[in-house]
Amino acid sequence: MRNRPLCFVLVSLIERALQSARWIQHHLANGDELPEAEPVVVSATRFDIPLDQSPASVSVISSQDIDNKQIERVSDALREVPGLAVVQTGTPGQLTSVFTRG
């Protein structure tokens, strides 16, 4: 269970991104202007590393990917990441487990 904290972080970040996307869609539908946000970089080294210089494989799920694929749940977004296995028990909203390869 060494990977449990990493999976929790991934799930938390993607859930927050989905909530933000829903908030933005709501405000765009009402004609509100949205503030510009700084990109968020999550790195195990605590430093920003350009993607082409990263020593590990990196998967990016952009808001455009979420919109194009009509992703509604974190588990659906994580299924797009190579090396992750997502297992859902029961209906949406029930227990969902994420396992990393290796």
Side-chain angles (χ1 to χ4, degrees), residues 27-99:
H27 285 281
L28 286 177
N30 293 337
D32 299 339
E33 283 192 35
L34 300 174
E36 287 292 320
E38 293 290 323
V40 176
V41 177
V42 178
S43 171
T45 62
R46 298 184 186 174
F47 300 104
D48 292 349
I49 299 173
L51 288 177
D52 60 347
Q53 295 178 5
S54 175
S57 65
V58 176
S59 296
V60 176
I61 302 172
S62 68
S63 60
Q64 186 175 10
D65 294 335
I66 292 171
D67 289 341
N68 290 344
K69 296 175 184 174
Q70 298 179 347
I71 294 173
E72 295 181 357
R73 289 180 285 284
V74 175
S75 59
D76 297 334
L78 290 177
R79 282 189 177 93
E80 302 291 323
V81 177
L84 286 183
V86 180
V87 179
Q88 184 174 340
T89 305
T91 61
Q94 302 260 331
L95 178 64
T96 302
S97 301
V98 180
F99 302 97

